[in-house]
Amino acid sequence: MMKISIFNDNSDLNNDSLVNPDVVQNRFGSVYGSYTMLLLDRDNGEKIYIPLHTDGKKATIGICLTEISQAELYEISNFIFKSNSKLKEISAEYSLNKAKGFSKNYTANQWHLSLPNTCDELWGRMSSKSKQTLRRKHNHLVEQLGSELKFEHYTMEQGIPDELVQIYFSFKKELMNRDYCMSPQEYLKKYYVTDAYTWKSIANEDTLSGEYVCMVFTCEQGENVYLENLSYNPAYQKESPGFLLYCKVIEELIKKGKKEFFLGRQYRDYKQKFDSQNTNCYDVIMFRSLPVYLAFICKKIVKKLLRK
């Protein structure tokens, strides 16, 4: 048995840290501003906080990798629908269970790395041959640049340089033909970036100028970190600068006492390293009734036919 209630119908950033896991997808104060926080009380005394955002006839709940059963998910959707007669559908990303009833479930996944207490433990997860390969690539990269790499860390509070984000855009354009079509500050706000890590080639550390080689953007909350994205200068692709910096960032996160590193849904070779796990989950949409569900399916079919 369980009980679902409204914990706060005007929640903001102050309640964001109540969610579990504490990742940006569940922090609706950061994502939407004001929202409603639901409370799931279990018989064993455990309390689960679930953020809810409504926009007209649609609602979103934050249950990214939250330990919620299929039965609990069903009861949560019923509670929300009964609380708001205007709602037609409720969506959620990275649910650990499929939704039942009138629902649509899309298979998703989430890469996840549990961080050890020390950097030595981290490197103990990698073979000697792989570590030798990394050292060789690092040395080759330094030789090509003609200088040592300077590590820099920026936070949103201190200010993340627009120049860094613009160069990130240019790397993504060349590597993946991706156009962000937004300003650096718009990008940082849209993707909730809190920290930026980078390596620059600088022969003299007293010199402010230098070439950005690679960068990693993260969203850091409490003991958890979410990887927003990373990129690197395509000219040095053979030396894997992005992965080299990724390893350095993990070391920094361990030093800061972080415990969990969430890596997103897209498959990349580097996400498999250091004994990371790939969790199967679902992006779900739950509908109020059969007519609403059928209307959704019909719209999908029409859109598919129009694209042909």
Side-chain angles (χ1 to χ4, degrees), residues 119-131:
C119 295
D120 287 342
E121 291 179 63
L122 175 75
W123 291 110
R125 299 177 181 179
M126 182 175 282
S127 69
S128 297
K129 183 178 180 180
S130 295
K131 286 185 280 190

Side-chain angles (χ1 to χ4, degrees), residues 60-211:
T60 305
I61 53 174
I63 55 170
C64 172
L65 301 177
T66 305
E67 293 289 345
I68 290 181
S69 68
Q70 187 180 60
E72 289 173 331
L73 181 58
Y74 182 73
E75 292 301 322
I76 291 166
S77 65
N78 281 345
F79 176 85
I80 295 171
F81 281 132
K82 289 178 180 179
S83 300
N84 189 335
S85 60
K86 295 180 180 179
L87 286 179
K88 300 297 183 182
E89 62 183 66
I90 304 167
S91 62
E93 286 188 325
Y94 302 117
S95 170
L96 292 178
N97 287 287
K98 290 182 178 180
K100 64 179 182 178
F102 306 123
S103 61
K104 189 71 176 175
N105 299 280
Y106 300 94
T107 302
N109 68 297
Q110 179 67 233
W111 290 91
H112 168 246
L113 176 61
S114 292
L115 300 176
N117 294 322
T118 68
C119 295
D120 287 342
E121 291 179 63
L122 175 75
W123 291 110
R125 299 177 181 179
M126 182 175 282
S127 69
S128 297
K129 183 178 180 180
S130 295
K131 286 185 280 190
Q132 290 173 359
T133 299
L134 281 180
R135 284 193 291 268
R136 184 174 67 251
K137 287 190 173 186
H138 179 274
N139 292 337
H140 286 173
L141 181 59
V142 170
E143 289 176 7
Q144 288 186 56
L145 293 168
S147 74
E148 284 295 333
L149 291 163
K150 182 179 180 181
F151 177 74
E152 293 179 327
H153 173 215
Y154 303 95
T155 66
M156 282 296 288
E157 290 78 11
Q158 299 166 335
I160 297 174
D162 284 357
E163 178 193 12
L164 171 60
V165 184
Q166 291 283 16
I167 293 174
Y168 164 80
F169 289 164
S170 69
F171 290 170
K172 283 293 186 182
K173 174 63 177 177
E174 190 169 349
L175 287 165
M176 305 177 70
N177 196 30
R178 178 171 183 178
D179 287 312
Y180 279 90
C181 300
M182 63 181 75
S183 71
Q185 293 306 310
E186 287 173 337
Y187 167 81
L188 296 173
K189 182 178 180 181
K190 179 176 180 178
Y191 293 102
Y192 320 110
V193 174
T194 62
D195 294 72
Y197 303 86
T198 183
W199 259 338
K200 292 175 74 174
S201 61
I202 297 183
N204 182 349
E205 291 193 2
D206 294 330
T207 304
L208 294 178
S209 61
E211 177 187 2

Side-chain angles (χ1 to χ4, degrees), residues 204-220:
N204 182 349
E205 291 193 2
D206 294 330
T207 304
L208 294 178
S209 61
E211 177 187 2
Y212 284 110
V213 178
C214 46
M215 62 284 292
V216 172
F217 297 128
T218 60
C219 315
E220 303 185 16

Side-chain angles (χ1 to χ4, degrees), residues 6-107:
I6 295 176
F7 175 75
N8 192 327
D9 62 359
N10 191 27
S11 291
D12 54 23
L13 290 169
N14 294 327
N15 288 322
D16 265 7
S17 61
L18 293 174
V19 297
N20 183 33
D22 185 5
V23 291
V24 67
Q25 285 84 352
N26 293 335
R27 281 183 164 245
F28 277 23
S30 299
V31 177
Y32 297 111
S34 182
Y35 63 99
T36 298
M37 184 72 87
L38 304 180
L39 174 60
L40 172 63
D41 274 303
R42 290 177 172 148
D43 282 350
N44 62 4
E46 187 179 8
K47 297 180 183 296
I48 304 295
Y49 296 90
I50 303 165
L52 164 69
H53 170 73
T54 59
D55 183 8
K57 298 179 180 180
K58 297 181 179 182
T60 305
I61 53 174
I63 55 170
C64 172
L65 301 177
T66 305
E67 293 289 345
I68 290 181
S69 68
Q70 187 180 60
E72 289 173 331
L73 181 58
Y74 182 73
E75 292 301 322
I76 291 166
S77 65
N78 281 345
F79 176 85
I80 295 171
F81 281 132
K82 289 178 180 179
S83 300
N84 189 335
S85 60
K86 295 180 180 179
L87 286 179
K88 300 297 183 182
E89 62 183 66
I90 304 167
S91 62
E93 286 188 325
Y94 302 117
S95 170
L96 292 178
N97 287 287
K98 290 182 178 180
K100 64 179 182 178
F102 306 123
S103 61
K104 189 71 176 175
N105 299 280
Y106 300 94
T107 302

